[in-house]
Amino acid sequence: MVSIKAPRGVRDILPEESWKWAFVLKTASEVAQDFNYREVHLPIFEQTELFARGVGDTTDIVEKEMYTFEDRGGRSLTLRPELSASMVRAYLENRMDQRPQPVKLWSAGPMFRYERPQKGRYRQFWQLDFEAIGSQDPYVDVEVIALSVELFRRLGMKGLDVVINSVGCPMCRPVHKEALQSFLKPHLSELCPTCQDRYNRNPLRILDCKNPTCRAITDNAPDTISYLCPECKEHFEGLKAGLDALGLHYSIDNRLVRGLDYYTKTAYEVLSGELGAQNAVCGGGRYDNLAEAIGGKHTPGVGFAAGLERIVLTMEQQGCSFGKEPALEVFVVAVGDIERKEALKLMHEFRKAGISADMDFNGKSFRAQLKVANQMGAPIVCILGEEELKAGKVSIKDMETGQQVEVPLEEGVPFVRTKLGE
Ligand code: ATP
Ligand code: MG
């Protein structure tokens, strides 16, 4: 036992779980290929300014969730809390505006947020992130939503709800903000302290407060959709028409909003009843003003991020298949120096032939080795005893039936391959 434990809010993903992750990641890469999204690997830390920007610095992430530190060169760096900003940074920095638009990218990896750990909420967690940068077309929003739904469909997840909204743009938002503030004004003292604080700097976020009193007050509050400018309205209509054309079910949630100014138009989430309070499997939408916010030229974009832990959690609770669990196929048993050297060679032949093989490395007795083979779940055991070696043979034992046959040593690999194929 070690006395140093992993930090609060992080988890070790052990072999019993990691193969499930690999299945989700493989499926994601297949869906990415079918939708023509290409994989990128981006830095885990970025300059702090990328995430903490001048305008609208008022969401939870920016306010209190970031892991920020100073490196030895005195630079302020931040462990990425999300991928969209890095994606847009990489797009701008690598002049991807020169490529056919939109540029479609995806990535998977750990994100870091200083949050209160609970079920489905960690301080280091993985996201699958898909972004389409360089087009305003509402059909790209449709594609992004369809991609996430298709991913979840291939993973066998059921009972998911797609909720959409439009948060408008800098043209329509001020009008809505004013209407919302005058609606809320008479109730200001009844709002929770966080929302009282939000009233002036970010009233939109009051709409998604989980506090029951705040929710009751905002039940009939002005929604963003009623205040959309003609352009945003047309975009929202295009989004709905595209989703309808694909037969994708959705509902409109007026409370689905975003805290930062650079988020525009489409906001969406996919929810799973299995997850309890942390019910969002993925969240996404449009961020047409993000590129400008980080100092680049105006570049529209849309995307989503899905939490890998929450996907796996939902799949486990729904009894979804993760494909075939990797398993050991052959265990080679031998006692004694000469026999062990032959066993080492035979094991290597199995491995080169693509058959998963292992042997004892702890000087265990014959019986103890058989026991280990059994514990490891090897369906076949190859025995190289003194007798077998003298005859140039190997005994092959079927662990399920207990049957044992002797074959010439050089026929061991093809024999086992045939047996495994049965
Ligand atoms: P939530 O409301 O659950 O905090 P969010 O709006 O902060 O979600 P996004 O920033 O949109 O989430 O991230 C996209 C997805 O990443 C979420 O839908 C969720 O699946 C996952 N996610 C977000 N924060 C965490 C976390 N702390 N631990 C595990 N998964 C997370
Ligand atoms: Mg959050």
Side-chain angles (χ1 to χ4, degrees), residues 164-170 172-174 176 204 207 224-225 227-228 232 236 253-268 285-286:
I164 64 168
N165 195 17
S166 176
V167 295
C169 70
C172 31
R173 238 177 339 235
H176 171 258
L204 195 57
L207 292 178
T224 48
I225 291 177
Y227 288 80
L228 295 180
C232 287
F236 192 56
D253 180 358
N254 295 326
R255 294 185 181 275
L256 187 59
V257 295
R258 301 276 180 246
L260 291 175
D261 287 351
Y262 59 74
Y263 287 112
T264 54
K265 298 185 170 75
T266 311
Y268 92 100
R286 196 162 262 289

PDB file of all heavy atoms in Angstrom, residues 164-170 172-174 176 204 207 224-225 227-228 232 236 253-268 285-286:
ATOM      1  N   ILE A 164     -32.430  21.394 -28.007  1.00  0.00           N
ATOM      2  CA  ILE A 164     -31.767  22.474 -28.735  1.00  0.00           C
ATOM      3  C   ILE A 164     -32.321  23.826 -28.298  1.00  0.00           C
ATOM      4  O   ILE A 164     -33.386  23.927 -27.689  1.00  0.00           O
ATOM      5  CB  ILE A 164     -31.936  22.330 -30.274  1.00  0.00           C
ATOM      6  CG1 ILE A 164     -33.424  22.468 -30.672  1.00  0.00           C
ATOM      7  CG2 ILE A 164     -31.394  20.990 -30.768  1.00  0.00           C
ATOM      8  CD1 ILE A 164     -33.637  22.624 -32.167  1.00  0.00           C
ATOM      9  N   ASN A 165     -31.545  24.853 -28.628  1.00  0.00           N
ATOM     10  CA  ASN A 165     -31.990  26.222 -28.392  1.00  0.00           C
ATOM     11  C   ASN A 165     -31.160  27.121 -29.295  1.00  0.00           C
ATOM     12  O   ASN A 165     -30.190  26.669 -29.901  1.00  0.00           O
ATOM     13  CB  ASN A 165     -31.776  26.594 -26.911  1.00  0.00           C
ATOM     14  CG  ASN A 165     -32.536  27.856 -26.513  1.00  0.00           C
ATOM     15  OD1 ASN A 165     -33.457  28.289 -27.225  1.00  0.00           O
ATOM     16  ND2 ASN A 165     -32.163  28.442 -25.396  1.00  0.00           N
ATOM     17  N   SER A 166     -31.563  28.375 -29.400  1.00  0.00           N
ATOM     18  CA  SER A 166     -30.699  29.338 -30.064  1.00  0.00           C
ATOM     19  C   SER A 166     -30.466  30.492 -29.105  1.00  0.00           C
ATOM     20  O   SER A 166     -31.425  31.041 -28.553  1.00  0.00           O
ATOM     21  CB  SER A 166     -31.319  29.859 -31.360  1.00  0.00           C
ATOM     22  OG  SER A 166     -30.469  30.863 -31.913  1.00  0.00           O
ATOM     23  N   VAL A 167     -29.207  30.832 -28.879  1.00  0.00           N
ATOM     24  CA  VAL A 167     -28.903  31.923 -27.939  1.00  0.00           C
ATOM     25  C   VAL A 167     -28.671  33.243 -28.675  1.00  0.00           C
ATOM     26  O   VAL A 167     -28.287  34.234 -28.067  1.00  0.00           O
ATOM     27  CB  VAL A 167     -27.681  31.589 -27.045  1.00  0.00           C
ATOM     28  CG1 VAL A 167     -28.009  30.416 -26.139  1.00  0.00           C
ATOM     29  CG2 VAL A 167     -26.431  31.294 -27.872  1.00  0.00           C
ATOM     30  N   GLY A 168     -28.907  33.232 -30.013  1.00  0.00           N
ATOM     31  CA  GLY A 168     -28.803  34.472 -30.758  1.00  0.00           C
ATOM     32  C   GLY A 168     -27.371  34.925 -30.987  1.00  0.00           C
ATOM     33  O   GLY A 168     -26.436  34.117 -30.963  1.00  0.00           O
ATOM     34  N   CYS A 169     -27.220  36.231 -31.186  1.00  0.00           N
ATOM     35  CA  CYS A 169     -25.892  36.780 -31.500  1.00  0.00           C
ATOM     36  C   CYS A 169     -25.793  38.166 -30.859  1.00  0.00           C
ATOM     37  O   CYS A 169     -26.744  38.642 -30.255  1.00  0.00           O
ATOM     38  CB  CYS A 169     -25.732  36.869 -33.019  1.00  0.00           C
ATOM     39  SG  CYS A 169     -26.773  38.136 -33.774  1.00  0.00           S
ATOM     40  N   PRO A 170     -24.655  38.844 -30.997  1.00  0.00           N
ATOM     41  CA  PRO A 170     -24.522  40.175 -30.379  1.00  0.00           C
ATOM     42  C   PRO A 170     -25.545  41.194 -30.891  1.00  0.00           C
ATOM     43  O   PRO A 170     -25.742  42.243 -30.286  1.00  0.00           O
ATOM     44  CB  PRO A 170     -23.100  40.597 -30.752  1.00  0.00           C
ATOM     45  CG  PRO A 170     -22.370  39.314 -30.951  1.00  0.00           C
ATOM     46  CD  PRO A 170     -23.379  38.377 -31.542  1.00  0.00           C
ATOM     47  N   CYS A 172     -28.959  40.389 -31.429  1.00  0.00           N
ATOM     48  CA  CYS A 172     -30.249  40.201 -30.749  1.00  0.00           C
ATOM     49  C   CYS A 172     -30.121  40.090 -29.225  1.00  0.00           C
ATOM     50  O   CYS A 172     -31.086  40.317 -28.510  1.00  0.00           O
ATOM     51  CB  CYS A 172     -30.997  38.992 -31.311  1.00  0.00           C
ATOM     52  SG  CYS A 172     -30.027  37.626 -31.937  1.00  0.00           S
ATOM     53  N   ARG A 173     -28.941  39.742 -28.744  1.00  0.00           N
ATOM     54  CA  ARG A 173     -28.828  39.477 -27.312  1.00  0.00           C
ATOM     55  C   ARG A 173     -29.113  40.662 -26.396  1.00  0.00           C
ATOM     56  O   ARG A 173     -29.779  40.501 -25.370  1.00  0.00           O
ATOM     57  CB  ARG A 173     -27.483  38.830 -26.985  1.00  0.00           C
ATOM     58  CG  ARG A 173     -27.739  37.498 -26.313  1.00  0.00           C
ATOM     59  CD  ARG A 173     -26.542  36.682 -25.978  1.00  0.00           C
ATOM     60  NE  ARG A 173     -25.344  36.956 -26.698  1.00  0.00           N
ATOM     61  CZ  ARG A 173     -24.666  36.031 -27.372  1.00  0.00           C
ATOM     62  NH1 ARG A 173     -25.108  34.791 -27.415  1.00  0.00           N
ATOM     63  NH2 ARG A 173     -23.549  36.334 -27.992  1.00  0.00           N
ATOM     64  N   PRO A 174     -28.613  41.848 -26.758  1.00  0.00           N
ATOM     65  CA  PRO A 174     -28.863  42.984 -25.848  1.00  0.00           C
ATOM     66  C   PRO A 174     -30.351  43.254 -25.621  1.00  0.00           C
ATOM     67  O   PRO A 174     -30.764  43.592 -24.510  1.00  0.00           O
ATOM     68  CB  PRO A 174     -28.207  44.163 -26.559  1.00  0.00           C
ATOM     69  CG  PRO A 174     -27.192  43.546 -27.459  1.00  0.00           C
ATOM     70  CD  PRO A 174     -27.749  42.226 -27.870  1.00  0.00           C
ATOM     71  N   HIS A 176     -32.799  41.046 -25.760  1.00  0.00           N
ATOM     72  CA  HIS A 176     -33.307  39.994 -24.871  1.00  0.00           C
ATOM     73  C   HIS A 176     -32.854  40.237 -23.438  1.00  0.00           C
ATOM     74  O   HIS A 176     -33.624  40.097 -22.481  1.00  0.00           O
ATOM     75  CB  HIS A 176     -32.833  38.616 -25.337  1.00  0.00           C
ATOM     76  CG  HIS A 176     -33.146  37.535 -24.354  1.00  0.00           C
ATOM     77  ND1 HIS A 176     -32.204  37.004 -23.505  1.00  0.00           N
ATOM     78  CD2 HIS A 176     -34.317  36.914 -24.042  1.00  0.00           C
ATOM     79  CE1 HIS A 176     -32.773  36.098 -22.728  1.00  0.00           C
ATOM     80  NE2 HIS A 176     -34.052  36.025 -23.032  1.00  0.00           N
ATOM     81  N   LEU A 204     -28.420  36.019 -18.505  1.00  0.00           N
ATOM     82  CA  LEU A 204     -28.819  34.848 -19.295  1.00  0.00           C
ATOM     83  C   LEU A 204     -28.634  33.551 -18.501  1.00  0.00           C
ATOM     84  O   LEU A 204     -29.452  32.629 -18.567  1.00  0.00           O
ATOM     85  CB  LEU A 204     -27.966  34.807 -20.573  1.00  0.00           C
ATOM     86  CG  LEU A 204     -28.439  33.896 -21.713  1.00  0.00           C
ATOM     87  CD1 LEU A 204     -29.845  34.262 -22.147  1.00  0.00           C
ATOM     88  CD2 LEU A 204     -27.474  33.994 -22.892  1.00  0.00           C
ATOM     89  N   LEU A 207     -31.267  31.705 -16.321  1.00  0.00           N
ATOM     90  CA  LEU A 207     -32.230  30.766 -16.924  1.00  0.00           C
ATOM     91  C   LEU A 207     -31.860  29.309 -16.678  1.00  0.00           C
ATOM     92  O   LEU A 207     -32.726  28.443 -16.643  1.00  0.00           O
ATOM     93  CB  LEU A 207     -32.346  31.017 -18.431  1.00  0.00           C
ATOM     94  CG  LEU A 207     -32.997  32.337 -18.868  1.00  0.00           C
ATOM     95  CD1 LEU A 207     -32.988  32.455 -20.379  1.00  0.00           C
ATOM     96  CD2 LEU A 207     -34.424  32.421 -18.339  1.00  0.00           C
ATOM     97  N   THR A 224     -34.842  33.349 -25.323  1.00  0.00           N
ATOM     98  CA  THR A 224     -33.974  33.925 -26.361  1.00  0.00           C
ATOM     99  C   THR A 224     -34.600  33.800 -27.751  1.00  0.00           C
ATOM    100  O   THR A 224     -34.449  34.699 -28.579  1.00  0.00           O
ATOM    101  CB  THR A 224     -32.599  33.224 -26.368  1.00  0.00           C
ATOM    102  OG1 THR A 224     -32.800  31.801 -26.349  1.00  0.00           O
ATOM    103  CG2 THR A 224     -31.784  33.614 -25.149  1.00  0.00           C
ATOM    104  N   ILE A 225     -35.314  32.695 -27.989  1.00  0.00           N
ATOM    105  CA  ILE A 225     -35.841  32.461 -29.335  1.00  0.00           C
ATOM    106  C   ILE A 225     -36.806  33.574 -29.776  1.00  0.00           C
ATOM    107  O   ILE A 225     -36.804  33.997 -30.930  1.00  0.00           O
ATOM    108  CB  ILE A 225     -36.541  31.075 -29.401  1.00  0.00           C
ATOM    109  CG1 ILE A 225     -35.491  29.979 -29.284  1.00  0.00           C
ATOM    110  CG2 ILE A 225     -37.319  30.908 -30.688  1.00  0.00           C
ATOM    111  CD1 ILE A 225     -36.059  28.591 -29.261  1.00  0.00           C
ATOM    112  N   TYR A 227     -36.599  36.538 -29.246  1.00  0.00           N
ATOM    113  CA  TYR A 227     -35.883  37.786 -29.506  1.00  0.00           C
ATOM    114  C   TYR A 227     -34.833  37.669 -30.614  1.00  0.00           C
ATOM    115  O   TYR A 227     -34.012  38.558 -30.777  1.00  0.00           O
ATOM    116  CB  TYR A 227     -35.228  38.284 -28.213  1.00  0.00           C
ATOM    117  CG  TYR A 227     -36.243  38.821 -27.228  1.00  0.00           C
ATOM    118  CD1 TYR A 227     -36.979  37.956 -26.421  1.00  0.00           C
ATOM    119  CD2 TYR A 227     -36.502  40.193 -27.143  1.00  0.00           C
ATOM    120  CE1 TYR A 227     -37.933  38.429 -25.539  1.00  0.00           C
ATOM    121  CE2 TYR A 227     -37.460  40.676 -26.264  1.00  0.00           C
ATOM    122  CZ  TYR A 227     -38.171  39.787 -25.465  1.00  0.00           C
ATOM    123  OH  TYR A 227     -39.111  40.288 -24.601  1.00  0.00           O
ATOM    124  N   LEU A 228     -34.846  36.567 -31.346  1.00  0.00           N
ATOM    125  CA  LEU A 228     -33.818  36.384 -32.376  1.00  0.00           C
ATOM    126  C   LEU A 228     -33.939  37.430 -33.485  1.00  0.00           C
ATOM    127  O   LEU A 228     -35.044  37.747 -33.928  1.00  0.00           O
ATOM    128  CB  LEU A 228     -33.912  34.981 -32.991  1.00  0.00           C
ATOM    129  CG  LEU A 228     -33.610  33.801 -32.059  1.00  0.00           C
ATOM    130  CD1 LEU A 228     -33.747  32.483 -32.819  1.00  0.00           C
ATOM    131  CD2 LEU A 228     -32.227  33.931 -31.435  1.00  0.00           C
ATOM    132  N   CYS A 232     -30.528  35.225 -37.195  1.00  0.00           N
ATOM    133  CA  CYS A 232     -30.490  34.104 -36.247  1.00  0.00           C
ATOM    134  C   CYS A 232     -31.752  33.263 -36.347  1.00  0.00           C
ATOM    135  O   CYS A 232     -31.715  32.042 -36.184  1.00  0.00           O
ATOM    136  CB  CYS A 232     -30.309  34.613 -34.818  1.00  0.00           C
ATOM    137  SG  CYS A 232     -28.651  35.217 -34.491  1.00  0.00           S
ATOM    138  N   PHE A 236     -31.965  29.339 -37.189  1.00  0.00           N
ATOM    139  CA  PHE A 236     -32.649  28.381 -36.313  1.00  0.00           C
ATOM    140  C   PHE A 236     -33.680  27.566 -37.095  1.00  0.00           C
ATOM    141  O   PHE A 236     -33.815  26.358 -36.887  1.00  0.00           O
ATOM    142  CB  PHE A 236     -33.310  29.141 -35.148  1.00  0.00           C
ATOM    143  CG  PHE A 236     -33.788  28.235 -34.049  1.00  0.00           C
ATOM    144  CD1 PHE A 236     -32.931  27.360 -33.415  1.00  0.00           C
ATOM    145  CD2 PHE A 236     -35.118  28.278 -33.637  1.00  0.00           C
ATOM    146  CE1 PHE A 236     -33.377  26.523 -32.383  1.00  0.00           C
ATOM    147  CE2 PHE A 236     -35.573  27.450 -32.607  1.00  0.00           C
ATOM    148  CZ  PHE A 236     -34.698  26.574 -31.986  1.00  0.00           C
ATOM    149  N   ASP A 253     -35.389  23.589 -25.616  1.00  0.00           N
ATOM    150  CA  ASP A 253     -35.271  23.910 -24.200  1.00  0.00           C
ATOM    151  C   ASP A 253     -34.826  25.371 -24.050  1.00  0.00           C
ATOM    152  O   ASP A 253     -33.675  25.712 -24.313  1.00  0.00           O
ATOM    153  CB  ASP A 253     -34.249  22.970 -23.532  1.00  0.00           C
ATOM    154  CG  ASP A 253     -34.093  23.263 -22.048  1.00  0.00           C
ATOM    155  OD1 ASP A 253     -34.734  24.215 -21.548  1.00  0.00           O
ATOM    156  OD2 ASP A 253     -33.314  22.549 -21.392  1.00  0.00           O
ATOM    157  N   ASN A 254     -35.771  26.194 -23.638  1.00  0.00           N
ATOM    158  CA  ASN A 254     -35.483  27.631 -23.516  1.00  0.00           C
ATOM    159  C   ASN A 254     -34.437  27.949 -22.451  1.00  0.00           C
ATOM    160  O   ASN A 254     -33.908  29.041 -22.402  1.00  0.00           O
ATOM    161  CB  ASN A 254     -36.769  28.390 -23.159  1.00  0.00           C
ATOM    162  CG  ASN A 254     -37.785  28.308 -24.269  1.00  0.00           C
ATOM    163  OD1 ASN A 254     -37.416  28.284 -25.445  1.00  0.00           O
ATOM    164  ND2 ASN A 254     -39.063  28.238 -23.915  1.00  0.00           N
ATOM    165  N   ARG A 255     -34.198  26.985 -21.567  1.00  0.00           N
ATOM    166  CA  ARG A 255     -33.241  27.230 -20.488  1.00  0.00           C
ATOM    167  C   ARG A 255     -31.808  26.878 -20.880  1.00  0.00           C
ATOM    168  O   ARG A 255     -30.886  27.082 -20.113  1.00  0.00           O
ATOM    169  CB  ARG A 255     -33.620  26.406 -19.259  1.00  0.00           C
ATOM    170  CG  ARG A 255     -34.932  26.820 -18.617  1.00  0.00           C
ATOM    171  CD  ARG A 255     -35.149  26.018 -17.355  1.00  0.00           C
ATOM    172  NE  ARG A 255     -36.402  26.352 -16.710  1.00  0.00           N
ATOM    173  CZ  ARG A 255     -36.546  27.369 -15.868  1.00  0.00           C
ATOM    174  NH1 ARG A 255     -35.514  28.140 -15.587  1.00  0.00           N
ATOM    175  NH2 ARG A 255     -37.706  27.612 -15.304  1.00  0.00           N
ATOM    176  N   LEU A 256     -31.660  26.291 -22.052  1.00  0.00           N
ATOM    177  CA  LEU A 256     -30.325  25.888 -22.496  1.00  0.00           C
ATOM    178  C   LEU A 256     -29.580  27.115 -23.023  1.00  0.00           C
ATOM    179  O   LEU A 256     -29.848  27.589 -24.122  1.00  0.00           O
ATOM    180  CB  LEU A 256     -30.452  24.823 -23.590  1.00  0.00           C
ATOM    181  CG  LEU A 256     -29.162  24.170 -24.060  1.00  0.00           C
ATOM    182  CD1 LEU A 256     -28.455  23.489 -22.912  1.00  0.00           C
ATOM    183  CD2 LEU A 256     -29.456  23.172 -25.160  1.00  0.00           C
ATOM    184  N   VAL A 257     -28.671  27.640 -22.204  1.00  0.00           N
ATOM    185  CA  VAL A 257     -27.965  28.876 -22.589  1.00  0.00           C
ATOM    186  C   VAL A 257     -26.465  28.701 -22.376  1.00  0.00           C
ATOM    187  O   VAL A 257     -26.023  27.708 -21.801  1.00  0.00           O
ATOM    188  CB  VAL A 257     -28.470  30.075 -21.768  1.00  0.00           C
ATOM    189  CG1 VAL A 257     -29.919  30.362 -22.091  1.00  0.00           C
ATOM    190  CG2 VAL A 257     -28.273  29.833 -20.276  1.00  0.00           C
ATOM    191  N   ARG A 258     -25.719  29.653 -22.826  1.00  0.00           N
ATOM    192  CA  ARG A 258     -24.264  29.627 -22.663  1.00  0.00           C
ATOM    193  C   ARG A 258     -23.825  30.920 -22.000  1.00  0.00           C
ATOM    194  O   ARG A 258     -24.404  31.969 -22.246  1.00  0.00           O
ATOM    195  CB  ARG A 258     -23.572  29.502 -24.020  1.00  0.00           C
ATOM    196  CG  ARG A 258     -23.957  28.259 -24.782  1.00  0.00           C
ATOM    197  CD  ARG A 258     -23.124  27.082 -24.328  1.00  0.00           C
ATOM    198  NE  ARG A 258     -23.466  25.870 -25.051  1.00  0.00           N
ATOM    199  CZ  ARG A 258     -24.023  24.810 -24.495  1.00  0.00           C
ATOM    200  NH1 ARG A 258     -24.343  24.828 -23.215  1.00  0.00           N
ATOM    201  NH2 ARG A 258     -24.265  23.727 -25.194  1.00  0.00           N
ATOM    202  N   GLY A 259     -22.790  30.829 -21.208  1.00  0.00           N
ATOM    203  CA  GLY A 259     -22.370  31.997 -20.441  1.00  0.00           C
ATOM    204  C   GLY A 259     -21.466  32.972 -21.169  1.00  0.00           C
ATOM    205  O   GLY A 259     -21.421  34.145 -20.835  1.00  0.00           O
ATOM    206  N   LEU A 260     -20.739  32.510 -22.183  1.00  0.00           N
ATOM    207  CA  LEU A 260     -19.756  33.388 -22.805  1.00  0.00           C
ATOM    208  C   LEU A 260     -20.306  34.057 -24.054  1.00  0.00           C
ATOM    209  O   LEU A 260     -21.080  33.471 -24.798  1.00  0.00           O
ATOM    210  CB  LEU A 260     -18.485  32.597 -23.145  1.00  0.00           C
ATOM    211  CG  LEU A 260     -17.668  32.137 -21.942  1.00  0.00           C
ATOM    212  CD1 LEU A 260     -16.505  31.262 -22.375  1.00  0.00           C
ATOM    213  CD2 LEU A 260     -17.167  33.317 -21.130  1.00  0.00           C
ATOM    214  N   ASP A 261     -19.848  35.304 -24.281  1.00  0.00           N
ATOM    215  CA  ASP A 261     -20.363  36.098 -25.386  1.00  0.00           C
ATOM    216  C   ASP A 261     -20.098  35.497 -26.760  1.00  0.00           C
ATOM    217  O   ASP A 261     -20.841  35.744 -27.698  1.00  0.00           O
ATOM    218  CB  ASP A 261     -19.748  37.501 -25.344  1.00  0.00           C
ATOM    219  CG  ASP A 261     -20.341  38.322 -24.214  1.00  0.00           C
ATOM    220  OD1 ASP A 261     -21.326  37.858 -23.609  1.00  0.00           O
ATOM    221  OD2 ASP A 261     -19.821  39.421 -23.943  1.00  0.00           O
ATOM    222  N   TYR A 262     -19.016  34.748 -26.889  1.00  0.00           N
ATOM    223  CA  TYR A 262     -18.690  34.267 -28.231  1.00  0.00           C
ATOM    224  C   TYR A 262     -19.557  33.103 -28.688  1.00  0.00           C
ATOM    225  O   TYR A 262     -19.517  32.709 -29.839  1.00  0.00           O
ATOM    226  CB  TYR A 262     -17.206  33.907 -28.353  1.00  0.00           C
ATOM    227  CG  TYR A 262     -16.704  32.857 -27.405  1.00  0.00           C
ATOM    228  CD1 TYR A 262     -17.018  31.517 -27.589  1.00  0.00           C
ATOM    229  CD2 TYR A 262     -15.890  33.202 -26.335  1.00  0.00           C
ATOM    230  CE1 TYR A 262     -16.546  30.546 -26.737  1.00  0.00           C
ATOM    231  CE2 TYR A 262     -15.414  32.246 -25.470  1.00  0.00           C
ATOM    232  CZ  TYR A 262     -15.744  30.912 -25.681  1.00  0.00           C
ATOM    233  OH  TYR A 262     -15.273  29.959 -24.836  1.00  0.00           O
ATOM    234  N   TYR A 263     -20.366  32.541 -27.774  1.00  0.00           N
ATOM    235  CA  TYR A 263     -21.307  31.507 -28.195  1.00  0.00           C
ATOM    236  C   TYR A 263     -22.471  32.164 -28.907  1.00  0.00           C
ATOM    237  O   TYR A 263     -23.036  33.150 -28.422  1.00  0.00           O
ATOM    238  CB  TYR A 263     -21.821  30.704 -27.005  1.00  0.00           C
ATOM    239  CG  TYR A 263     -20.786  29.768 -26.448  1.00  0.00           C
ATOM    240  CD1 TYR A 263     -20.228  29.974 -25.203  1.00  0.00           C
ATOM    241  CD2 TYR A 263     -20.349  28.682 -27.201  1.00  0.00           C
ATOM    242  CE1 TYR A 263     -19.255  29.114 -24.698  1.00  0.00           C
ATOM    243  CE2 TYR A 263     -19.390  27.821 -26.716  1.00  0.00           C
ATOM    244  CZ  TYR A 263     -18.847  28.037 -25.462  1.00  0.00           C
ATOM    245  OH  TYR A 263     -17.899  27.195 -24.985  1.00  0.00           O
ATOM    246  N   THR A 264     -22.845  31.630 -30.064  1.00  0.00           N
ATOM    247  CA  THR A 264     -23.904  32.237 -30.868  1.00  0.00           C
ATOM    248  C   THR A 264     -24.859  31.154 -31.353  1.00  0.00           C
ATOM    249  O   THR A 264     -24.507  29.985 -31.408  1.00  0.00           O
ATOM    250  CB  THR A 264     -23.299  32.917 -32.115  1.00  0.00           C
ATOM    251  OG1 THR A 264     -22.515  31.960 -32.815  1.00  0.00           O
ATOM    252  CG2 THR A 264     -22.437  34.106 -31.733  1.00  0.00           C
ATOM    253  N   LYS A 265     -26.037  31.598 -31.679  1.00  0.00           N
ATOM    254  CA  LYS A 265     -27.043  30.739 -32.328  1.00  0.00           C
ATOM    255  C   LYS A 265     -27.222  29.399 -31.618  1.00  0.00           C
ATOM    256  O   LYS A 265     -27.556  29.360 -30.443  1.00  0.00           O
ATOM    257  CB  LYS A 265     -26.695  30.570 -33.816  1.00  0.00           C
ATOM    258  CG  LYS A 265     -26.703  31.918 -34.580  1.00  0.00           C
ATOM    259  CD  LYS A 265     -26.478  31.735 -36.063  1.00  0.00           C
ATOM    260  CE  LYS A 265     -26.732  33.003 -36.845  1.00  0.00           C
ATOM    261  NZ  LYS A 265     -25.672  34.011 -36.721  1.00  0.00           N
ATOM    262  N   THR A 266     -26.961  28.285 -32.330  1.00  0.00           N
ATOM    263  CA  THR A 266     -27.290  26.958 -31.810  1.00  0.00           C
ATOM    264  C   THR A 266     -26.600  26.594 -30.498  1.00  0.00           C
ATOM    265  O   THR A 266     -25.381  26.728 -30.366  1.00  0.00           O
ATOM    266  CB  THR A 266     -26.897  25.889 -32.851  1.00  0.00           C
ATOM    267  OG1 THR A 266     -27.410  26.273 -34.121  1.00  0.00           O
ATOM    268  CG2 THR A 266     -27.437  24.521 -32.439  1.00  0.00           C
ATOM    269  N   ALA A 267     -27.407  26.140 -29.537  1.00  0.00           N
ATOM    270  CA  ALA A 267     -26.867  25.445 -28.363  1.00  0.00           C
ATOM    271  C   ALA A 267     -27.615  24.129 -28.294  1.00  0.00           C
ATOM    272  O   ALA A 267     -28.806  24.078 -28.588  1.00  0.00           O
ATOM    273  CB  ALA A 267     -27.102  26.265 -27.104  1.00  0.00           C
ATOM    274  N   TYR A 268     -26.915  23.047 -27.955  1.00  0.00           N
ATOM    275  CA  TYR A 268     -27.643  21.780 -27.838  1.00  0.00           C
ATOM    276  C   TYR A 268     -26.980  20.868 -26.825  1.00  0.00           C
ATOM    277  O   TYR A 268     -25.809  21.042 -26.473  1.00  0.00           O
ATOM    278  CB  TYR A 268     -27.795  21.099 -29.200  1.00  0.00           C
ATOM    279  CG  TYR A 268     -26.703  20.118 -29.576  1.00  0.00           C
ATOM    280  CD1 TYR A 268     -26.906  18.751 -29.431  1.00  0.00           C
ATOM    281  CD2 TYR A 268     -25.479  20.552 -30.076  1.00  0.00           C
ATOM    282  CE1 TYR A 268     -25.925  17.832 -29.789  1.00  0.00           C
ATOM    283  CE2 TYR A 268     -24.494  19.640 -30.427  1.00  0.00           C
ATOM    284  CZ  TYR A 268     -24.717  18.278 -30.285  1.00  0.00           C
ATOM    285  OH  TYR A 268     -23.749  17.380 -30.623  1.00  0.00           O
ATOM    286  N   GLY A 285     -22.609  23.379 -29.706  1.00  0.00           N
ATOM    287  CA  GLY A 285     -23.272  24.511 -30.320  1.00  0.00           C
ATOM    288  C   GLY A 285     -22.293  25.352 -31.108  1.00  0.00           C
ATOM    289  O   GLY A 285     -21.164  24.945 -31.376  1.00  0.00           O
ATOM    290  N   ARG A 286     -22.772  26.532 -31.435  1.00  0.00           N
ATOM    291  CA  ARG A 286     -22.047  27.416 -32.333  1.00  0.00           C
ATOM    292  C   ARG A 286     -21.290  28.484 -31.549  1.00  0.00           C
ATOM    293  O   ARG A 286     -21.727  28.908 -30.474  1.00  0.00           O
ATOM    294  CB  ARG A 286     -23.083  28.047 -33.287  1.00  0.00           C
ATOM    295  CG  ARG A 286     -22.540  28.679 -34.511  1.00  0.00           C
ATOM    296  CD  ARG A 286     -23.611  28.869 -35.573  1.00  0.00           C
ATOM    297  NE  ARG A 286     -23.555  27.792 -36.553  1.00  0.00           N
ATOM    298  CZ  ARG A 286     -22.573  27.670 -37.454  1.00  0.00           C
ATOM    299  NH1 ARG A 286     -21.573  28.537 -37.508  1.00  0.00           N
ATOM    300  NH2 ARG A 286     -22.578  26.671 -38.311  1.00  0.00           N
TER     301      ARG A 286
END
